[in-house]
Amino acid sequence: MLLPALLLAGAWMSQLWGGLTPCEMCHWQRWPHYAALPLAALAFALPRRSLVALAALAIAVSGAIGVYHAGVEWHWWQGHTACTASFGSGLSGDQLLRQIMAAPLVRCDEAQWRLFGVSLAGWNALFSLGGAAIIAFLLRRSARA
């Protein structure tokens, strides 16, 4: 439960305090972590190995999306090309145009931030896939004991 919570906290802090605007694929990476949190919490309430395994699978899915997103950032393959935005309803044409013009342009194929040459998508991939592998190893080890 700690891993998805920390990764989501990092994503939200980079957005709210770091000034980074997530692209569409950044949001995709968050969804499996959102799913892993209640699964892991349920595993505490109802100790079931299957719930822990499902949480680990969700974390691994986020890591796989992170690999895909990092590959798009490095231009190894083409990524998501559609633009998305959400705007309030009931706006006049002038208000809608102002909102559109003020919306930040965030591309999925350009990393906004890197540490040691690795983007946030790359770090999510490393931590998520590594964490999921450790959880799977611990699950397998506890089954033998």
Side-chain angles (χ1 to χ4, degrees), residues 99-121:
Q99 252 192 342
I100 290 170
M101 296 307 288
L105 178 63
V106 182
R107 297 175 48 143
C108 292
D109 65 344
E110 291 182 6
Q112 295 182 53
W113 180 89
R114 291 184 192 271
L115 178 64
F116 307 120
V118 180
S119 68
L120 286 174

Side-chain angles (χ1 to χ4, degrees), residues 56-105:
L57 179 62
I59 293 166
V61 166
S62 178
I65 297 169
V67 167
Y68 176 70
H69 189 184
V72 169
E73 291 172 338
W74 284 103
H75 304 286
W76 293 338
W77 45 75
Q78 186 174 355
H80 187 62
T81 58
C83 293
T84 59
S86 57
F87 300 103
S89 60
L91 298 175
S92 71
D94 189 45
Q95 291 171 319
L96 185 58
L97 182 60
R98 274 197 303 266
Q99 252 192 342
I100 290 170
M101 296 307 288
L105 178 63

